[in-house]
Amino acid sequence: MKLVNQIYTNPDKKRRMFMRKITSLALVLALLLNIVLFASPAKAESIEDLDIIWVDYDECEDFTDGIARVVYYDENGSPYKYGAIDKSGKAVIPVEFDYIDEFENGLAFAQKGNITGYIDKTGKFVKQCDYAIMRESEGFAVVKRVGSEYKGYGLIDKDGNFLLPMKYDYIGGFSEGLSLVRPDFFEDRVYYIDKTGKKVLEIEGNSGDFKEGLAYIRKNGKYGVIDKTGKVVIPIIYDYVKDFNDGLAYVWKDDKRGYIDKNGNEVVPIKYDYIGGFSEGLAVAIIGKKYGYVDKSGKEVIPIIYDSASDFSEGLARVTIKEKDEKGKTVIKEGYIDKTGKLAIPAIYDCADNFKEEVAVVWKGDKCGYIDKTGREMVPLIFNDAYPSSDGMMRVRDENGRY
């Protein structure tokens, strides 16, 4: 079976700030699933083993839903014109727009001359408007007037009718039937509306979206938790509180971090110098300069012994290990552990990224490429830079500066 991999690149932004160079963007077209699922595909040993299509843009971003934004820059290194290409490198949207946002559900906010609105994947304006959609939830969308910094947020329904006009400093969007509204950033008050636009709850201080029936509240620099009646159900004693998720909320108190339940009980003890969000059931925890993992019961399931660690992704997590070589010199290497703490891929890399779409970027020296979950090199470590896989495509830069 022929090995094909999808690769494209992103230019070095610092270099672009000093000189204009319309670089070549390498597109190596591939079938990643074939690489992952078949037992012994051919392995690319060099760049000559990869099928490359060259396209000339200053920047090519991640592929999403089959297309990627491309950009030309002006002589000052600033974005000048936007367009989009498909996975064959063909321009499907001409590079003549003043701005194109990321595509979502087949549409992207765009600006071309005096026209603003939403385009489809051919670049056709399907809706012209003077606002951008910030977020959508529960049949409504938060919108913001183009060009406004303050007093520009509003709320529309699925037919484009305004529930709230674009005159607010912030609107959170609907969550559990209520939407947070902040009329003025300089006033320490917010309120919530229902889906008829009726104000149902007003709060002195600041608060967040309701999640699992609760929302954080901040007053006088401290955080607590309220219910949908506005009653404080967890005391306002914390330095920070995040939204509840799966019955737990991250808290920060006296420079230590942990998690509480809906009754305010400490589930993950507030003793860590840092604790991350839960990913695949585990969270990175740090004490001093060492890293490990806790589960949602608060148990340290992987010892806090590593010099660095990342979130679990697709069943594996990157860890950093410091060891002494035969000359007594400290050597720092990275590898991957599974959820039992077992080293699944040896710590032989100088740098490594999380797994995404079954592959991960790894470095040895100043060269990088891609490995699969067995540690096998799927794209040789011959590139100067590489980026996580996105929609089956991977961005790279070779030793000649080609992208």
Side-chain angles (χ1 to χ4, degrees):
M1 182 180 69
K2 186 176 183 180
L3 174 66
V4 215
N5 278 303
Q6 296 172 334
I7 302 179
Y8 72 105
T9 68
N10 189 20
D12 178 45
K13 293 184 178 179
K14 290 183 179 179
R15 179 177 57 82
R16 283 202 315 265
M17 294 304 292
F18 295 100
M19 60 182 291
R20 169 165 174 76
K21 178 180 179 183
I22 298 180
T23 56
S24 295
L25 297 168
L27 290 174
V28 184
L29 305 176
L31 301 171
L32 280 178
L33 289 178
N34 286 345
I35 293 171
V36 174
L37 298 177
F38 285 81
S40 57
K43 174 187 171 184
E45 300 291 346
S46 68
I47 197 168
E48 286 74 22
D49 295 328
L50 302 170
D51 291 340
I52 299 177
I53 297 174
W54 299 100
V55 291
D56 290 328
Y57 299 104
D58 287 319
E59 185 169 359
C60 187
E61 300 182 359
D62 283 344
F63 272 86
T64 303
D65 203 16
I67 66 174
R69 290 187 299 177
V70 292
V71 186
Y72 284 141
Y73 281 76
D74 63 21
E75 62 274 8
N76 296 316
S78 299
Y80 174 58
K81 293 295 179 182
Y82 291 76
I85 59 174
D86 64 17
K87 290 183 178 181
S88 72
K90 178 184 176 182
V92 292
I93 298 177
V95 188
E96 56 189 32
F97 286 80
D98 299 309
Y99 179 72
I100 299 176
D101 205 346
E102 293 182 1
F103 275 86
E104 187 173 349
N105 298 322
L107 298 177
F109 178 77
Q111 181 174 355
K112 184 178 181 181
N114 296 323
I115 304 174
T116 59
Y118 286 81
I119 60 172
D120 62 18
K121 291 182 179 180
T122 69
K124 178 183 177 182
F125 277 97
V126 297
K127 181 178 181 180
Q128 295 186 32
C129 54
D130 63 347
Y131 57 76
I133 295 175
M134 307 304 292
R135 63 192 70 88
E136 297 177 278
S137 62
E138 299 184 9
F140 291 83
V142 177
V143 296
K144 185 179 181 183
R145 183 183 293 110
V146 175
S148 65
E149 184 174 0
Y150 299 105
K151 306 299 182 186
Y153 281 83
L155 199 59
I156 61 173
D157 64 18
K158 61 182 179 180
D159 297 318
N161 301 311
F162 277 90
L163 183 66
L164 293 180
M166 293 186 290
K167 68 174 188 178
Y168 300 92
D169 274 352
Y170 179 78
I171 297 176
F174 279 99
S175 177
E176 300 184 359
L178 299 177
S179 178
L180 175 71
V181 179
R182 186 162 190 173
D184 194 321
F185 277 129
F186 298 102
E187 294 182 8
D188 203 19
R189 70 180 181 91
V190 298
Y191 61 83
Y192 295 86
I193 62 168
D194 63 19
K195 292 185 179 180
T196 69
K198 179 183 176 182
K199 186 189 297 186
V200 296
L201 178 63
E202 188 162 358
I203 301 294
E204 287 188 19
N206 193 14
S207 56
D209 294 332
F210 278 97
K211 303 290 185 183
E212 301 182 5
L214 301 174
Y216 74 76
I217 181 172
R218 179 172 62 84
K219 292 183 72 174
N220 301 318
K222 292 291 184 179
Y223 287 74
V225 178
I226 59 172
D227 63 17
K228 289 185 177 180
T229 70
K231 178 184 177 181
V232 175
V233 294
I234 296 177
I236 305 173
I237 59 174
Y238 299 98
D239 298 311
Y240 188 65
V241 176
K242 286 187 177 181
D243 293 335
F244 273 89
N245 182 24
D246 197 20
L248 298 177
Y250 166 96
V251 293
W252 178 4
K253 185 180 180 184
D254 299 328
D255 209 28
K256 298 295 180 182
R257 287 83 169 168
Y259 280 84
I260 59 172
D261 65 17
K262 292 182 178 181
N263 296 315
N265 301 313
E266 289 186 25
V267 178
V268 179
I270 306 173
K271 69 175 187 177
Y272 296 98
D273 296 311
Y274 169 86
I275 191 164
F278 284 95
S279 177
E280 300 184 5
L282 299 178
V284 175
I286 302 176
I287 294 179
K289 295 182 179 181
K290 293 295 183 180
Y291 294 63
Y293 295 84
V294 298
D295 65 16
K296 290 184 178 181
S297 73
K299 181 182 178 181
E300 292 179 4
V301 294
I302 297 177
I304 300 178
I305 59 174
Y306 297 101
D307 295 291
S308 180
S310 70
D311 290 339
F312 272 88
S313 177
E314 301 184 0
L316 297 176
R318 173 196 55 79
V319 294
T320 303
I321 299 173
K322 292 182 182 179
E323 295 179 332
K324 299 287 186 180
D325 64 13
E326 63 277 3
K327 297 180 180 179
K329 181 181 177 181
T330 299
V331 178
I332 302 174
K333 295 293 181 181
E334 296 192 337
Y336 296 87
I337 59 171
D338 63 21
K339 290 183 180 180
T340 69
K342 177 184 176 182
L343 199 60
I345 298 176
I348 59 175
Y349 302 103
D350 295 310
C351 189
D353 278 349
N354 284 351
F355 274 89
K356 185 181 178 185
E357 298 184 354
E358 303 292 324
V359 293
V361 180
V362 293
W363 280 260
K364 284 185 177 180
D366 60 355
K367 298 297 181 183
C368 58
Y370 294 83
I371 60 171
D372 67 12
K373 289 183 179 179
T374 70
R376 180 174 49 178
E377 289 184 17
M378 304 311 298
V379 175
L381 278 61
I382 57 175
F383 296 100
N384 281 31
D385 210 351
Y387 302 81
S389 176
S390 176
D391 199 19
M393 305 288 284
M394 295 178 277
R395 293 183 287 171
V396 298
R397 181 166 65 99
D398 73 8
E399 62 184 357
N400 299 314
R402 294 181 299 178
Y403 294 88

